[in-house]
Amino acid sequence: MSDLLKITIDNITVEVPAGTTILNAARQIGGEVAPPAMCYYSKLADSGGKCRTCLVEVSKGSEKDPRPMPKLVASCRTTVMDGMEVKNITSPKVIDARNGVVEFLLINHPLDCPVCDQAGECDLQDLGYNHGKEGTRYEFKRRTFHKVDLGDYIQLHMTRCIMCFRCVFVADQLTEKREHGILDRGDHAQIATLIEKNLHNDFIGNVIDVCPVGALTDKTFRFKNRVWFTKPVDAHRNCSNPKCCGEAQLWMRGDEVFRVTARKDEWGEVKEASNGKTGWICNTCRFETKKAIDWTIEGPSVVNRHSVISQGHYVGVIKPTETFNAVMKGRDPKLLMDIHDESEVNKPNIDLSVLDRPAHSTDFN
Amino acid sequence: MSKKLLLEKAHVENIRLYDVYRREGGYRSVEKALKTMSPEAIVEEVKKSGLRGRGGAGFPAGMKWSFIAKPEGVPRHLVVNADESEPGTFKDRYLMEFLPHLLLEGMIVSSFALGSNVSYIYIRGEYAWITDILEQAIDEAKANGWLGKNILGSGFDCEIYVQRGAGAYICGEETALIESLEGKRGNPRIKPPFPAVQGLWKRPTVVNNVETITAVVPIINDGGDEYAKIGVGKSTGTKLISACGNINKPGVYEIDMTISVEEFIYSDEWCGGIANGKKLKACIPGGSSVPILPANLLLKTAKGETRLMNYESLADGGFATGSMMGSGGFIVLDEDQCIVKNTFTLARFYRHESCGQCSPCREGTGWMEKILWSIETGKGKKSDIDLLWDIQRKIEGNTICPLGDAAAWPVAAAIRHFRDEFEWHVDNPQESQIRNFGLAHYADEIHIPA
């Protein structure tokens, strides 16, 4: 018997080494066959199994024991057996359950994407577009929290949190000492430091990268720009921290570096660095090295063309040359206004995060 | 009067004390097991007895014991689950409060069978006074040589520790219990690996209910075959039922699983009928998480057979027309009880007790509670009932641990059997605030097509 196990996912067969999870096998196939994952993070041990978006149906357990599994299983925590047959997008049961999970994740989410820094690179946004419905059946007040400052660099926005536990694993596995955790339980559970205090650890900035939503955001980048207006470039520097890989992605606009993050692969997880380290970066690289001169820029990052970040980054795009009047064929526009100014979206005194429902245009006047 | 195995001596004065317990024949099974039997023989005996887990799932205990991994040089553990938090269930409290030595006796024998030198009792935080009772009993047992090093000269060492939880329902789930016992947050683990392979401190662990462990004592004393003769079919032995609700005699009863539900409710030996001469409307036969049944389906199965108080008969008809034995919390509702309010109360409980780890349960339980509250207070809509059904369907089976199922089943069963009552609440928002729907046809004889 060879060491490779055969697994068929949505009628596509791949061979994977023993101990691989169904999710990772599906990622080898790629595309739509790979189930979405909100809490699983391949670089963090013990993560996964919590969000239930990656549920799949196992229609044949293995070659030896062909019985199907009675329930849908979390593909990120179920290991492959030889001859296993899995249905992901070909199973109506899976699609139904996944839609349900997405609905559950969204009922207490504020949907304040217009003012959220994560918008454009948010896993929940992608998931919502793929599986969500346009309306909500939830008619009650949403759970809200006040924003919490976790030191000079990180802000916690519990209202947006989907309880993936990734940040807890980062603190456990990358830093010396974990200073935050989960308080309470059920739908009033929250990420907290108990007594409000700062997160000090050197690698704690990585919680921002692993957060699938905008619950943990970079304070040095907050409201400075939208991610799709910035251009990501790969860069590296000689970091003195031995654990830091020194390879990062700079999010630039013109010559200005707006943000520094770890480099991410197509599944939104940090990449392996070329020096063999996992691509986590230290706080100094992330928050304090924000001049292009500090970095050796390698070139533009490869961005998936479906990502909003890639918009406007194509070569050969023809920009409109006509003036506004030419487009209107000489007619005067009836109403011309700056919508941001008019709707007062940028009004700083409205704290959208404490709204207990989705933000609405009426909130701005 | 049926035979009592566990509660036989419960009313002997001062049975809580070691001297009295020993005089009444206590610790005989330890002598028998440690001196004359091998661990494998004990497991075999428990298998033969057909003893099923008394915590709710009803998994055969002997089978569970035989699954425990036995790697060289790795200690194994027995953990007794005394985190009895299911609303309506209070049988373990009774056992531990009056017969602490019976539990210790069962634990010593079981620890010997499983090779556990350090065993734990994980007790619910609210049972503070029982912790004291158990610790006193452990001290007495230790002083008399039933615990510690080289028990009865057999070379077997055993220590028992009592650990109090912090009052979370979720810690009754075996992997959450193990996490909590390790000193972590009580979140259920993702299975596999099962505790029998990797449990407490990554060592093979068996987690059993208090009643299951105490039932080992009569099995060893009288033999597994003798135990298997009691009861019917796969429901062997005796079962403790904690009866509560609108009945004349609430309390803990030991039954031998051959009596009918009707007899159990109306006989003076057991519940003594419905209080105040009211009529039976519905019943939750196995603790709050099992499906509720209306009176007609409770007393007779859909096939027209008399329903008996045992695992198979209560589950007859699946969830469509049956329920479950569960943990034996028998909650009786009379004609004045409002099913919507009852369901809301249960939904509120599960919302409060959800650990918050996986999304369907964390968000779904809160949503169901809110919808039920609006129906109960007369603000509901007809579509809310379908929405509830859809939510529970999406929670059930999609969660890490059975709490999601436990939260979904009561809501599903209430809508399945009492939909007209929900609709009445929606249609008569004002009237529903002053009076209850009443009995309707729930107590009528069921029509069985020939």
Side-chain angles (χ1 to χ4, degrees):
Chain A
M1 210 180 103
S2 67
D3 290 325
L4 292 176
L5 308 177
K6 256 191 195 155
I7 172 169
T8 309
I9 305 168
D10 287 342
N11 301 323
I12 304 169
T13 306
V14 279
E15 289 194 337
V16 292
T20 314
T21 58
I22 298 176
L23 184 85
N24 281 332
R27 281 183 177 182
Q28 276 188 22
I29 301 170
E32 285 189 322
V33 175
M38 300 297 288
C39 65
Y40 173 75
Y41 208 83
S42 60
K43 312 293 188 296
L44 296 170
D46 295 333
S47 67
K50 296 177 176 31
C51 69
R52 317 308 281 178
T53 55
C54 69
L55 290 173
V56 291
E57 183 183 344
V58 178
S59 51
K60 182 183 167 191
S62 68
E63 208 58 68
K64 279 183 200 153
D65 181 11
R67 284 176 304 168
M69 291 193 185
K71 288 182 186 176
L72 302 181
V73 297
S75 59
C76 61
R77 291 294 290 258
T78 313
T79 46
V80 168
M81 309 288 274
D82 195 34
M84 195 182 239
E85 277 173 26
V86 175
K87 285 182 181 172
N88 178 22
I89 47 172
T90 49
S91 161
K93 247 167 87 185
V94 170
I95 299 296
D96 185 50
R98 195 168 291 158
N99 290 350
V101 171
V102 174
E103 186 172 22
F104 287 134
L105 286 176
L106 288 173
I107 60 170
N108 273 321
H109 191 80
L111 293 172
D112 57 347
C113 309
V115 293
C116 176
D117 278 304
Q118 189 85 2
E121 50 175 21
C122 173
D123 291 353
L124 188 61
Q125 227 177 8
D126 297 345
L127 193 70
Y129 276 118
N130 287 333
H131 298 278
K133 299 196 183 71
E134 54 194 39
T136 178
R137 297 187 289 176
Y138 187 75
E139 294 168 344
F140 305 94
K141 287 190 169 179
R142 287 167 195 245
R143 157 201 81 155
T144 57
F145 295 91
H146 284 281
K147 282 180 260 187
V148 183
D149 273 335
L150 302 175
D152 293 339
Y153 299 132
I154 304 169
Q155 185 153 52
L156 170 65
H157 233 46
M158 244 329 280
T159 317
R160 293 174 186 156
C161 178
I162 59 159
M163 282 286 153
C164 67
F165 287 55
R166 279 180 187 175
C167 59
V168 181
F169 289 120
V170 164
D172 259 340
Q173 293 168 24
L174 294 182
T175 65
E176 300 286 308
K177 195 174 151 217
R178 177 156 66 87
E179 295 170 311
H180 75 289
I182 315 277
L183 281 190
D184 284 339
R185 61 181 181 222
D187 58 358
H188 40 280
Q190 55 172 313
I191 302 282
T193 49
L194 186 55
I195 307 161
E196 268 184 41
K197 63 175 186 185
N198 299 349
L199 299 182
H200 297 292
N201 281 303
D202 224 9
F203 276 80
I204 201 69
N206 288 303
V207 295
I208 300 165
D209 274 344
V210 299
C211 186
V213 291
L216 291 161
T217 46
D218 185 343
K219 275 175 85 176
T220 61
F221 178 62
R222 273 174 74 84
F223 305 135
K224 294 257 170 68
N225 219 315
R226 307 302 323 222
V227 289
W228 55 86
F229 293 141
T230 57
K231 289 189 182 180
V233 296
D234 287 351
H236 64 265
R237 72 184 271 264
N238 259 339
C239 183
S240 54
N241 194 318
K243 275 159 79 188
C244 176
C245 76
E247 292 182 10
Q249 206 166 27
L250 311 184
W251 298 75
M252 304 181 68
R253 198 168 176 183
D255 290 337
E256 201 179 339
V257 178
F258 273 86
R259 181 170 74 142
V260 182
T261 65
R263 292 185 197 173
K264 293 187 180 176
D265 62 13
E266 56 182 318
W267 312 111
E269 297 179 0
V270 296
K271 275 183 189 167
E272 295 287 320
S274 57
N275 52 13
K277 291 178 189 166
T278 312
W280 308 112
I281 55 171
C282 66
N283 281 7
T284 321
C285 286
R286 183 185 300 271
F287 300 117
E288 283 158 16
T289 326
K290 290 220 168 177
K291 279 186 189 133
I293 200 168
D294 298 325
W295 295 87
T296 313
I297 292 177
E298 296 163 16
S301 307
V302 181
V303 178
N304 184 318
R305 71 185 177 87
H306 296 293
S307 163
V308 289
I309 296 163
S310 72
Q311 68 103 33
H313 296 181
Y314 295 118
V315 282
V317 175
I318 304 158
K319 284 193 179 166
T321 46
E322 307 103 313
T323 58
F324 200 84
N325 277 337
V327 175
M328 295 294 287
K329 291 180 182 148
R331 284 174 292 137
D332 277 335
K334 275 185 183 154
L335 180 66
L336 188 63
M337 63 183 183
D338 182 340
I339 56 162
H340 286 106
D341 189 46
E342 195 64 31
S343 67
E344 300 181 68
V345 167
N346 291 337
K347 207 169 164 182
N349 57 359
I350 308 171
D351 191 352
L352 288 179
S353 74
V354 294
L355 292 182
D356 48 21
R357 58 194 152 69
H360 190 263
S361 58
T362 50
D363 291 320
F364 297 105
N365 48 41
Chain B
M1 193 107 182
S2 63
K3 196 180 172 187
K4 282 185 180 176
L5 294 177
L6 304 180
L7 300 184
E8 196 184 352
K9 302 277 161 61
H11 297 291
V12 176
E13 206 178 336
N14 285 333
I15 189 74
R16 208 179 273 167
L17 300 177
Y18 171 77
D19 294 333
V20 182
Y21 183 75
R22 178 74 178 141
R23 196 179 65 222
E24 293 289 331
Y27 288 101
R28 265 189 304 139
S29 66
V30 179
E31 283 174 330
K32 184 177 174 188
L34 266 62
K35 285 184 178 162
T36 65
M37 294 170 86
S38 68
E40 292 75 29
I42 300 173
V43 176
E44 231 12 76
E45 210 62 38
V46 174
K47 264 189 184 170
K48 255 193 271 174
S49 74
L51 172 68
R52 293 173 67 166
R54 301 293 197 229
F59 192 79
M63 193 104 93
K64 193 172 190 173
W65 286 11
S66 63
F67 286 155
I68 191 166
K70 291 179 177 165
E72 272 303 304
V74 182
R76 300 186 285 273
H77 292 292
L78 168 73
V79 179
V80 171
N81 184 348
D83 191 84
E84 178 186 52
S85 321
E86 181 109 335
T89 308
F90 44 88
K91 61 185 177 64
D92 297 344
R93 186 190 77 191
Y94 190 87
L95 262 179
M96 292 186 289
E97 192 171 350
F98 293 99
L99 295 159
H101 282 286
L102 184 68
L103 173 61
L104 296 188
E105 188 179 346
M107 278 185 77
I108 298 166
V109 176
S110 311
S111 300
F112 179 62
L114 295 165
S116 156
N117 298 116
V118 182
S119 301
Y120 297 90
I121 303 172
Y122 184 91
I123 192 163
R124 179 181 176 188
E126 287 90 335
Y127 287 176
W129 80 102
I130 299 179
T131 315
D132 297 340
I133 293 172
L134 286 171
E135 270 171 355
Q136 192 197 340
I138 290 172
D139 287 344
E140 284 177 336
K142 218 179 251 179
N144 288 286
W146 298 102
L147 284 172
K149 296 252 177 251
N150 197 10
I151 301 164
L152 298 180
S154 64
F156 174 66
D157 308 336
C158 185
E159 290 290 342
I160 293 178
Y161 297 103
V162 184
Q163 174 64 45
R164 262 179 77 190
Y169 175 68
I170 189 66
C171 291
E173 202 274 342
E174 57 178 4
T175 52
L177 185 151
I178 289 170
E179 286 277 300
S180 176
L181 195 53
E182 287 180 4
K184 301 178 194 149
R185 188 184 152 83
N187 278 357
R189 291 180 186 168
I190 293 147
K191 292 183 265 189
F194 287 94
V197 182
Q198 261 188 28
L200 191 60
W201 295 301
K202 301 211 166 175
R203 297 163 179 174
T205 306
V206 164
V207 183
N208 270 136
N209 183 257
V210 170
E211 195 191 338
T212 319
I213 292 295
T214 50
V216 173
V217 175
I219 291 173
I220 297 303
N221 278 338
D222 308 337
D225 291 326
E226 204 59 34
Y227 189 85
K229 279 180 198 158
I230 310 166
V232 274
K234 284 183 178 167
S235 305
T236 58
T238 60
K239 173 92 185 82
L240 296 188
I241 302 285
S242 51
C244 62
N246 307 109
I247 45 175
N248 281 322
K249 287 165 61 191
V252 177
Y253 298 104
E254 185 167 7
I255 60 162
D256 65 2
M257 300 208 255
T258 53
I259 59 166
S260 69
V261 178
E262 193 166 4
E263 193 187 341
F264 185 72
I265 296 178
Y266 291 105
S267 157
D268 279 338
E269 191 184 334
W270 318 109
C271 301
I274 309 297
N276 306 322
K278 300 267 182 186
K279 279 187 188 141
L280 173 68
K281 178 178 184 177
C283 174
I284 305 173
S288 66
S289 60
V290 311
I292 189 171
L293 284 179
N296 48 11
L297 279 174
L298 177 73
L299 303 178
K300 283 214 170 91
T301 66
K303 292 177 216 146
E305 294 157 5
T306 310
R307 210 183 274 279
L308 304 178
M309 291 288 287
N310 64 38
Y311 288 95
E312 286 80 27
S313 186
L314 280 173
D316 189 271
F319 280 179
T321 58
S323 184
M324 275 169 82
M325 183 92 197
S327 54
F330 197 81
I331 309 170
V332 179
L333 281 72
D334 74 12
E335 56 189 299
D336 290 344
Q337 303 309 313
C338 174
I339 298 295
V340 180
K341 184 156 192 194
N342 173 61
T343 314
F344 162 71
T345 312
L346 294 179
R348 187 179 58 184
F349 173 78
Y350 287 109
R351 185 253 181 110
H352 185 256
E353 296 297 340
S354 167
C355 78
Q357 201 181 189
C358 56
S359 356
C361 172
R362 178 184 67 233
E363 307 290 353
T365 49
W367 195 1
M368 289 201 299
E369 186 213 331
K370 284 175 184 158
I371 296 175
L372 281 163
W373 177 244
S374 67
I375 297 179
E376 166 64 17
T377 51
K379 297 185 202 86
K381 300 191 292 283
K382 275 269 171 66
S383 61
D384 283 347
I385 305 169
D386 292 323
L387 181 57
L388 266 180
W389 184 264
D390 199 45
I391 298 171
Q392 70 80 19
R393 193 174 60 83
K394 280 173 175 159
I395 299 175
E396 194 207 331
N398 291 342
T399 52
I400 295 174
C401 80
L403 194 137
D405 302 343
W409 289 341
V411 176
I415 297 176
R416 190 184 295 123
H417 299 302
F418 300 93
R419 196 182 176 105
D420 45 354
E421 187 160 343
F422 281 85
E423 286 174 356
W424 179 79
H425 259 264
V426 172
D427 291 337
N428 306 288
Q430 259 136 39
E431 205 182 345
S432 69
Q433 305 304 302
I434 347 168
R435 75 171 188 91
N436 280 323
F437 184 63
L439 208 52
H441 56 271
Y442 307 134
D444 297 351
E445 282 284 306
I446 41 172
H447 170 70
I448 296 128

